[in-house]
Amino acid sequence: MSEFSLIYTHFKHATTRHANTVLGIGDDCAISHIPPNNQLVSCVDTLVAGRHFVFETDPHAIAYKAVAVNLSDLASMGATPYAILVGLSLPKAMANDDFCKAFAHGLADACTPFGVELIGGDIAGSPVLTISVTALGFVPSNQAITRQGACVGDVVCVSGTVGLASLGLHRILDDLNGDGHANRPPNSLPHDLRQAMQYPVPQVALGGRLIGFANSMIDISDGLGQDLGHILTASGVGAVIDLNAIPSHALLDALPHAQKWQHQINGGDDYQLCFTMPSAKLDLFRQQNPDMPIYPIGQIVADKGLVFLHNKKEVGLLVKGWEHF
Amino acid sequence: MSEFSLIYTHFKHATTRHANTVLGIGDDCAISHIPPNNQLVSCVDTLVAGRHFVFETDPHAIAYKAVAVNLSDLASMGATPYAILVGLSLPKAMANDDFCKAFAHGLADACTPFGVELIGGDIAGSPVLTISVTALGFVPSNQAITRQGACVGDVVCVSGTVGLASLGLHRILDDLNGDGHANRPPNSLPHDLRQAMQYPVPQVALGGRLIGFANSMIDISDGLGQDLGHILTASGVGAVIDLNAIPSHALLDALPHAQKWQHQINGGDDYQLCFTMPSAKLDLFRQQNPDMPIYPIGQIVADKGLVFLHNKKEVGLLVKGWEHF
């Protein structure tokens, strides 16, 4: 089957048209109208089979996550997602209707809740399934929230539970440095773990509402410790984090402290937002957004570095995060 | 070496800053200002080792071409290139300074002539070197040239020689359906063949000048026959092409006709532009742009299909183009 018929059959109409698209998928390029007084926000993330997901993952879940992690990056700037372009490299055995249909549904299920359109795509043959997604979004001019800007005294917050995705991965692999194959199928996981690992929900609405409130923001992809570390480095500050304040889950609470903290601090793949804001703004945000819970977990301090407290005592935790090679 | 140190060391400063970039590579996303009265033009293309280039290709040439093919797509809409985002998946053995330095130079050498900035990147480990580039550009609102719009009577033109890249590939491989390894190193090719195959020049200036002249346009990536076919299908017309009028080269002219035509019609990878315009506009364009040669090769006709003439007699040529799987 040719690239063109695969694209036309499964991807050309996978998502609904966005009002800002002048010319969608199918020509050499897409053409888009940018809303007045907005800037373009763009990012790229690549997922590789056996590295970012186990080989046994459903095509639907692979596609969903490849999009979701990018929408999460847009959310972490306060941007409104608009569109994606997908570079898909797949083994010949997957260049068929079954795989592409499930994959296209996964793309659509990640895009549709946010009105995101697939405006560009390229399919190539490869021995290894690889998905590279570029996401485009809009943000009111000069309002984006970056990693820079955390101020001493800011409260450090997260948008929800961290550590579950890491626990899910741990449960299906015997060894985190394995060969990319699961020993137990992801579908065998308890619902909450499977959802956290395979179907993270990008915090798009919250990201947008934090404009005017948050001084700095990032999404938690490589681990709370490492990602918060990027904010600290970019802002030239440090932080003290209360481990007890990090939103948890019964499955994490059932673990010994050291294991739970490993998943929460070094686990990654949660796609919650981590952000900082002055405490007065935190109060105001909560008043104005009672439907949108956010969780203070610590404070920005002048002393550089990242300190973790448990019952007010410092705990020595090595921040590692995801090893890319 | 981590993703972050590779990106920081080799890619963060690989290209110069574009005036429209508000926030460049290094945060979760880039932020860009779109010029007033312009639309955004975007595309993605993925190159896979052993599929789109032989394994023996220099990292510099791989990176150059991954960018150039995307800038060519922008050029084919009449757009001005602005920026690229690169998703790079590479084997551990390549995650080192030597490879990344040469690769970053290749990116820069494709970007710099056009003022293009690398605004986003992601590096992942993979068994197979894969490069997915998204290119962004600007076009004056509602002025982009698409595949649709070719009119009966239009002259079909190309921007330069086609067939050389295909001949170059043929010369280093014994068999076009090989295993992705070259039998002779690409560096052993005659200069013109190597340049055509590894260092195609995206026709950016010409693409922009054709706004207001060309009714339809595409770049020749999969073969003149197949790509012109996309214009014909999108426009609901046919074309008659004079094989003798296609710009050639001494190395192609030295071949038997049938071989030469295979390279020219089905060869692909040339990244010249193919476009159509009324003959009066062709005369005007040539008057106004004496520095920019363009080559009429045939005419748009009402009868659908693609007819090739040699010395005014029809030649039966099967249009195949690149097989993606």
Short mmCIF file of all heavy atoms in Angstrom, two decimals, chain A residues 3 6 11 46-49 53 62 86-95 99-100 103 121-133, chain B residues 44-49 51-52 87-89 126 128-133 324-325:
data_model
loop_
_atom_site.label_atom_id
_atom_site.label_comp_id
_atom_site.label_asym_id
_atom_site.label_seq_id
_atom_site.Cartn_x
_atom_site.Cartn_y
_atom_site.Cartn_z
N GLU A 3 2.14 5.26 0.46
CA GLU A 3 2.02 6.34 1.44
C GLU A 3 0.73 7.12 1.20
O GLU A 3 0.00 7.43 2.13
CB GLU A 3 3.23 7.27 1.29
CG GLU A 3 3.13 8.51 2.17
CD GLU A 3 4.15 9.58 1.79
OE1 GLU A 3 4.76 9.47 0.71
OE2 GLU A 3 4.31 10.50 2.58
N LEU A 6 -2.53 5.30 2.18
CA LEU A 6 -2.63 5.22 3.64
C LEU A 6 -3.04 6.56 4.23
O LEU A 6 -3.91 6.64 5.09
CB LEU A 6 -1.29 4.79 4.26
CG LEU A 6 -0.92 3.31 4.16
CD1 LEU A 6 0.47 3.09 4.72
CD2 LEU A 6 -1.93 2.44 4.91
N PHE A 11 -5.82 9.13 7.42
CA PHE A 11 -5.39 10.32 8.14
C PHE A 11 -5.99 11.62 7.63
O PHE A 11 -6.13 12.57 8.39
CB PHE A 11 -3.86 10.41 8.12
CG PHE A 11 -3.22 9.25 8.82
CD1 PHE A 11 -2.60 8.24 8.10
CD2 PHE A 11 -3.27 9.14 10.20
CE1 PHE A 11 -2.03 7.14 8.75
CE2 PHE A 11 -2.71 8.06 10.86
CZ PHE A 11 -2.09 7.05 10.14
N THR A 46 9.36 13.16 19.97
CA THR A 46 9.47 11.93 19.20
C THR A 46 9.34 10.73 20.13
O THR A 46 9.97 10.71 21.19
CB THR A 46 10.83 11.89 18.49
OG1 THR A 46 10.93 13.04 17.64
CG2 THR A 46 10.98 10.64 17.64
N LEU A 47 8.53 9.76 19.75
CA LEU A 47 8.43 8.52 20.50
C LEU A 47 8.96 7.36 19.65
O LEU A 47 8.62 7.25 18.48
CB LEU A 47 6.97 8.22 20.89
CG LEU A 47 6.19 9.27 21.68
CD1 LEU A 47 4.89 8.65 22.21
CD2 LEU A 47 7.00 9.82 22.85
N VAL A 48 9.79 6.52 20.26
CA VAL A 48 10.40 5.39 19.55
C VAL A 48 9.96 4.08 20.23
O VAL A 48 10.02 3.99 21.46
CB VAL A 48 11.95 5.51 19.60
CG1 VAL A 48 12.60 4.34 18.85
CG2 VAL A 48 12.41 6.84 19.02
N ALA A 49 9.53 3.12 19.42
CA ALA A 49 9.10 1.82 19.96
C ALA A 49 10.22 1.17 20.76
O ALA A 49 11.38 1.15 20.31
CB ALA A 49 8.67 0.90 18.82
N PHE A 53 7.71 3.53 24.60
CA PHE A 53 6.57 2.66 24.91
C PHE A 53 7.02 1.22 24.63
O PHE A 53 7.86 0.99 23.77
CB PHE A 53 5.33 3.03 24.09
CG PHE A 53 5.56 3.10 22.60
CD1 PHE A 53 5.43 1.97 21.80
CD2 PHE A 53 5.93 4.30 22.00
CE1 PHE A 53 5.66 2.04 20.43
CE2 PHE A 53 6.17 4.38 20.62
CZ PHE A 53 6.03 3.24 19.84
N ILE A 62 -0.43 4.33 21.45
CA ILE A 62 0.82 4.95 20.98
C ILE A 62 0.52 6.31 20.36
O ILE A 62 1.15 7.32 20.67
CB ILE A 62 1.52 4.06 19.92
CG1 ILE A 62 1.94 2.72 20.54
CG2 ILE A 62 2.72 4.78 19.33
CD1 ILE A 62 2.34 1.67 19.50
N VAL A 86 2.50 15.19 11.79
CA VAL A 86 2.98 13.89 12.26
C VAL A 86 3.94 13.26 11.24
O VAL A 86 3.56 13.05 10.09
CB VAL A 86 1.81 12.92 12.52
CG1 VAL A 86 2.33 11.56 12.98
CG2 VAL A 86 0.85 13.50 13.56
N GLY A 87 5.15 12.98 11.68
CA GLY A 87 6.09 12.19 10.88
C GLY A 87 6.09 10.77 11.43
O GLY A 87 6.51 10.54 12.55
N LEU A 88 5.58 9.85 10.63
CA LEU A 88 5.39 8.47 11.09
C LEU A 88 6.30 7.54 10.29
O LEU A 88 6.20 7.48 9.07
CB LEU A 88 3.92 8.09 10.89
CG LEU A 88 3.48 6.66 11.18
CD1 LEU A 88 3.73 6.31 12.64
CD2 LEU A 88 1.99 6.49 10.86
N SER A 89 7.19 6.84 10.97
CA SER A 89 8.04 5.84 10.31
C SER A 89 7.60 4.48 10.83
O SER A 89 7.63 4.26 12.05
CB SER A 89 9.51 6.06 10.67
OG SER A 89 9.86 7.41 10.50
N LEU A 90 7.22 3.60 9.93
CA LEU A 90 6.70 2.32 10.43
C LEU A 90 7.15 1.14 9.61
O LEU A 90 7.37 1.24 8.41
CB LEU A 90 5.18 2.37 10.58
CG LEU A 90 4.24 2.23 9.41
CD1 LEU A 90 2.81 2.19 9.92
CD2 LEU A 90 4.37 3.41 8.49
N PRO A 91 7.33 -0.01 10.32
CA PRO A 91 7.72 -1.24 9.64
C PRO A 91 6.65 -1.64 8.63
O PRO A 91 5.46 -1.35 8.82
CB PRO A 91 7.78 -2.26 10.79
CG PRO A 91 8.00 -1.46 12.02
CD PRO A 91 7.27 -0.17 11.78
N LYS A 92 7.09 -2.31 7.58
CA LYS A 92 6.19 -2.71 6.50
C LYS A 92 5.00 -3.51 7.05
O LYS A 92 3.87 -3.35 6.58
CB LYS A 92 6.98 -3.57 5.50
CG LYS A 92 6.26 -3.75 4.19
CD LYS A 92 7.20 -4.30 3.12
CE LYS A 92 6.47 -4.41 1.80
NZ LYS A 92 7.39 -4.63 0.68
N ALA A 93 5.25 -4.32 8.08
CA ALA A 93 4.19 -5.16 8.64
C ALA A 93 3.07 -4.32 9.25
O ALA A 93 1.97 -4.81 9.48
CB ALA A 93 4.76 -6.11 9.69
N MET A 94 3.36 -3.06 9.55
CA MET A 94 2.33 -2.19 10.14
C MET A 94 1.68 -1.28 9.11
O MET A 94 0.72 -0.57 9.44
CB MET A 94 2.95 -1.33 11.24
CG MET A 94 3.46 -2.12 12.43
SD MET A 94 4.22 -1.03 13.64
CE MET A 94 4.77 -2.25 14.86
N ALA A 95 2.22 -1.27 7.89
CA ALA A 95 1.66 -0.39 6.85
C ALA A 95 0.41 -1.03 6.26
O ALA A 95 0.34 -1.34 5.08
CB ALA A 95 2.71 -0.13 5.78
N PHE A 99 -3.56 -1.49 11.45
CA PHE A 99 -2.69 -0.64 12.26
C PHE A 99 -3.06 0.83 12.07
O PHE A 99 -3.22 1.57 13.03
CB PHE A 99 -1.22 -0.87 11.90
CG PHE A 99 -0.29 -0.01 12.70
CD1 PHE A 99 0.22 -0.45 13.91
CD2 PHE A 99 0.05 1.26 12.26
CE1 PHE A 99 1.06 0.35 14.67
CE2 PHE A 99 0.89 2.08 13.01
CZ PHE A 99 1.39 1.62 14.22
N CYS A 100 -3.17 1.25 10.81
CA CYS A 100 -3.37 2.68 10.54
C CYS A 100 -4.72 3.17 11.03
O CYS A 100 -4.85 4.31 11.48
CB CYS A 100 -3.18 2.97 9.05
SG CYS A 100 -1.44 2.83 8.56
N PHE A 103 -4.34 3.55 14.76
CA PHE A 103 -3.42 4.67 15.00
C PHE A 103 -4.13 6.00 14.75
O PHE A 103 -4.04 6.94 15.55
CB PHE A 103 -2.20 4.52 14.10
CG PHE A 103 -1.06 5.43 14.46
CD1 PHE A 103 -0.11 5.03 15.39
CD2 PHE A 103 -0.95 6.68 13.88
CE1 PHE A 103 0.94 5.87 15.73
CE2 PHE A 103 0.09 7.54 14.23
CZ PHE A 103 1.04 7.13 15.15
N GLY A 121 1.33 15.52 7.42
CA GLY A 121 1.80 14.19 7.77
C GLY A 121 2.74 13.65 6.73
O GLY A 121 2.74 14.06 5.57
N ASP A 122 3.58 12.74 7.18
CA ASP A 122 4.52 12.07 6.29
C ASP A 122 4.67 10.64 6.80
O ASP A 122 4.84 10.44 8.01
CB ASP A 122 5.87 12.80 6.33
CG ASP A 122 6.87 12.21 5.35
OD1 ASP A 122 6.44 11.81 4.25
OD2 ASP A 122 8.06 12.14 5.69
N ILE A 123 4.57 9.68 5.91
CA ILE A 123 4.73 8.28 6.31
C ILE A 123 5.92 7.69 5.57
O ILE A 123 6.04 7.85 4.36
CB ILE A 123 3.47 7.45 5.98
CG1 ILE A 123 2.25 8.03 6.69
CG2 ILE A 123 3.66 6.00 6.39
CD1 ILE A 123 1.02 7.12 6.63
N ALA A 124 6.81 7.04 6.32
CA ALA A 124 7.98 6.42 5.71
C ALA A 124 8.14 5.00 6.23
O ALA A 124 7.70 4.69 7.34
CB ALA A 124 9.23 7.24 6.06
N GLY A 125 8.75 4.15 5.42
CA GLY A 125 9.08 2.81 5.88
C GLY A 125 10.30 2.85 6.78
O GLY A 125 11.21 3.65 6.57
N SER A 126 10.33 2.01 7.81
CA SER A 126 11.45 1.96 8.75
C SER A 126 11.41 0.65 9.50
O SER A 126 10.33 0.11 9.72
CB SER A 126 11.35 3.12 9.74
OG SER A 126 12.28 2.94 10.79
N PRO A 127 12.55 0.12 9.92
CA PRO A 127 12.50 -1.08 10.75
C PRO A 127 11.89 -0.82 12.13
O PRO A 127 11.46 -1.75 12.80
CB PRO A 127 13.97 -1.49 10.90
CG PRO A 127 14.71 -0.70 9.89
CD PRO A 127 13.91 0.53 9.59
N VAL A 128 11.88 0.45 12.57
CA VAL A 128 11.45 0.76 13.94
C VAL A 128 10.31 1.78 13.92
O VAL A 128 10.46 2.87 13.36
CB VAL A 128 12.62 1.34 14.77
CG1 VAL A 128 12.16 1.64 16.19
CG2 VAL A 128 13.79 0.39 14.77
N LEU A 129 9.22 1.46 14.58
CA LEU A 129 8.10 2.39 14.68
C LEU A 129 8.54 3.64 15.44
O LEU A 129 8.97 3.56 16.59
CB LEU A 129 6.93 1.71 15.41
CG LEU A 129 5.70 2.58 15.66
CD1 LEU A 129 5.08 3.06 14.35
CD2 LEU A 129 4.66 1.80 16.47
N THR A 130 8.45 4.77 14.77
CA THR A 130 8.88 6.05 15.34
C THR A 130 7.85 7.10 14.98
O THR A 130 7.42 7.19 13.83
CB THR A 130 10.25 6.46 14.74
OG1 THR A 130 11.18 5.39 14.91
CG2 THR A 130 10.80 7.71 15.40
N ILE A 131 7.43 7.88 15.96
CA ILE A 131 6.42 8.90 15.72
C ILE A 131 6.96 10.22 16.21
O ILE A 131 7.31 10.38 17.37
CB ILE A 131 5.11 8.61 16.49
CG1 ILE A 131 4.65 7.20 16.19
CG2 ILE A 131 4.03 9.62 16.12
CD1 ILE A 131 4.83 6.26 17.36
N SER A 132 7.04 11.17 15.28
CA SER A 132 7.52 12.50 15.63
C SER A 132 6.35 13.46 15.40
O SER A 132 5.87 13.59 14.29
CB SER A 132 8.71 12.85 14.74
OG SER A 132 9.39 13.96 15.26
N VAL A 133 5.90 14.08 16.48
CA VAL A 133 4.75 14.99 16.38
C VAL A 133 5.22 16.42 16.65
O VAL A 133 5.90 16.67 17.64
CB VAL A 133 3.64 14.62 17.38
CG1 VAL A 133 2.51 15.65 17.35
CG2 VAL A 133 3.09 13.23 17.08
N VAL B 44 5.98 18.70 7.10
CA VAL B 44 6.87 17.77 7.80
C VAL B 44 7.37 16.72 6.81
O VAL B 44 6.64 16.30 5.92
CB VAL B 44 6.14 17.10 8.99
CG1 VAL B 44 4.95 16.26 8.53
CG2 VAL B 44 7.09 16.23 9.82
N ASP B 45 8.63 16.35 6.94
CA ASP B 45 9.22 15.29 6.12
C ASP B 45 10.18 14.50 6.98
O ASP B 45 10.92 15.07 7.77
CB ASP B 45 9.97 15.88 4.92
CG ASP B 45 9.30 15.50 3.60
OD1 ASP B 45 8.82 14.37 3.48
OD2 ASP B 45 9.28 16.36 2.71
N THR B 46 10.16 13.20 6.80
CA THR B 46 10.97 12.31 7.62
C THR B 46 11.95 11.55 6.75
O THR B 46 11.56 11.02 5.71
CB THR B 46 10.05 11.32 8.37
OG1 THR B 46 9.12 12.05 9.16
CG2 THR B 46 10.85 10.39 9.26
N LEU B 47 13.21 11.49 7.15
CA LEU B 47 14.21 10.68 6.44
C LEU B 47 14.67 9.54 7.35
O LEU B 47 14.95 9.76 8.53
CB LEU B 47 15.43 11.53 6.05
CG LEU B 47 15.21 12.78 5.19
CD1 LEU B 47 16.55 13.30 4.68
CD2 LEU B 47 14.27 12.52 4.03
N VAL B 48 14.72 8.34 6.78
CA VAL B 48 15.11 7.15 7.54
C VAL B 48 16.37 6.55 6.91
O VAL B 48 16.43 6.38 5.69
CB VAL B 48 13.97 6.11 7.52
CG1 VAL B 48 14.35 4.86 8.32
CG2 VAL B 48 12.67 6.70 8.05
N ALA B 49 17.36 6.24 7.75
CA ALA B 49 18.61 5.65 7.26
C ALA B 49 18.34 4.35 6.52
O ALA B 49 17.56 3.51 6.98
CB ALA B 49 19.56 5.37 8.43
N ARG B 51 16.70 4.05 3.87
CA ARG B 51 15.52 4.22 3.02
C ARG B 51 15.68 5.47 2.15
O ARG B 51 15.53 5.42 0.95
CB ARG B 51 14.25 4.42 3.85
CG ARG B 51 13.73 3.23 4.57
CD ARG B 51 13.09 2.20 3.69
NE ARG B 51 11.98 2.67 2.86
CZ ARG B 51 11.35 1.93 1.97
NH1 ARG B 51 11.72 0.68 1.78
NH2 ARG B 51 10.35 2.40 1.25
N HIS B 52 15.95 6.58 2.84
CA HIS B 52 16.02 7.86 2.14
C HIS B 52 17.46 8.28 1.86
O HIS B 52 17.70 9.21 1.11
CB HIS B 52 15.32 8.95 2.95
CG HIS B 52 13.86 8.69 3.16
ND1 HIS B 52 13.39 8.01 4.25
CD2 HIS B 52 12.78 8.97 2.40
CE1 HIS B 52 12.08 7.92 4.18
NE2 HIS B 52 11.67 8.48 3.06
N GLY B 87 13.03 16.48 15.03
CA GLY B 87 12.95 15.29 15.88
C GLY B 87 13.99 14.30 15.40
O GLY B 87 13.89 13.79 14.28
N LEU B 88 15.00 14.06 16.21
CA LEU B 88 16.15 13.24 15.80
C LEU B 88 16.19 11.97 16.66
O LEU B 88 16.27 12.05 17.88
CB LEU B 88 17.42 14.07 15.98
CG LEU B 88 18.78 13.39 15.73
CD1 LEU B 88 18.87 12.89 14.31
CD2 LEU B 88 19.91 14.37 16.03
N SER B 89 16.09 10.82 16.00
CA SER B 89 16.23 9.54 16.71
C SER B 89 17.54 8.91 16.25
O SER B 89 17.70 8.69 15.04
CB SER B 89 15.07 8.61 16.37
OG SER B 89 13.85 9.28 16.51
N SER B 126 17.43 5.36 19.41
CA SER B 126 16.71 4.46 18.51
C SER B 126 17.71 3.57 17.80
O SER B 126 18.86 3.97 17.59
CB SER B 126 15.94 5.28 17.46
OG SER B 126 15.46 4.43 16.44
N VAL B 128 17.61 2.96 14.72
CA VAL B 128 17.68 3.44 13.34
C VAL B 128 17.71 4.97 13.30
O VAL B 128 16.81 5.62 13.84
CB VAL B 128 16.46 2.97 12.52
CG1 VAL B 128 16.58 3.44 11.08
CG2 VAL B 128 16.35 1.46 12.57
N LEU B 129 18.71 5.51 12.64
CA LEU B 129 18.79 6.96 12.50
C LEU B 129 17.59 7.47 11.70
O LEU B 129 17.37 7.07 10.55
CB LEU B 129 20.09 7.33 11.78
CG LEU B 129 20.32 8.81 11.48
CD1 LEU B 129 20.35 9.63 12.76
CD2 LEU B 129 21.62 9.01 10.71
N THR B 130 16.80 8.34 12.32
CA THR B 130 15.59 8.87 11.71
C THR B 130 15.53 10.36 12.01
O THR B 130 15.73 10.76 13.16
CB THR B 130 14.34 8.18 12.32
OG1 THR B 130 14.50 6.76 12.19
CG2 THR B 130 13.07 8.62 11.62
N ILE B 131 15.26 11.15 10.98
CA ILE B 131 15.20 12.60 11.17
C ILE B 131 13.87 13.10 10.65
O ILE B 131 13.54 12.92 9.48
CB ILE B 131 16.33 13.33 10.40
CG1 ILE B 131 17.66 12.72 10.74
CG2 ILE B 131 16.31 14.82 10.72
CD1 ILE B 131 18.25 11.88 9.62
N SER B 132 13.11 13.70 11.53
CA SER B 132 11.82 14.26 11.13
C SER B 132 11.92 15.77 11.31
O SER B 132 12.15 16.26 12.41
CB SER B 132 10.73 13.66 12.02
OG SER B 132 9.47 13.92 11.50
N VAL B 133 11.78 16.49 10.20
CA VAL B 133 11.91 17.95 10.25
C VAL B 133 10.56 18.58 9.92
O VAL B 133 9.92 18.22 8.93
CB VAL B 133 12.96 18.47 9.24
CG1 VAL B 133 12.98 20.00 9.21
CG2 VAL B 133 14.34 17.92 9.59
N HIS B 324 7.03 3.98 -1.23
CA HIS B 324 7.31 4.30 0.17
C HIS B 324 7.41 3.08 1.06
O HIS B 324 7.93 3.15 2.16
CB HIS B 324 6.27 5.28 0.70
CG HIS B 324 6.44 6.64 0.11
ND1 HIS B 324 7.06 7.66 0.78
CD2 HIS B 324 6.13 7.13 -1.11
CE1 HIS B 324 7.09 8.73 0.01
NE2 HIS B 324 6.53 8.44 -1.13
N PHE B 325 6.86 1.93 0.63
CA PHE B 325 6.97 0.71 1.43
C PHE B 325 7.45 -0.45 0.57
O PHE B 325 7.21 -0.46 -0.62
CB PHE B 325 5.62 0.35 2.07
CG PHE B 325 5.21 1.36 3.08
CD1 PHE B 325 4.27 2.32 2.76
CD2 PHE B 325 5.81 1.38 4.33
CE1 PHE B 325 3.92 3.28 3.70
CE2 PHE B 325 5.46 2.32 5.26
CZ PHE B 325 4.51 3.28 4.94
#
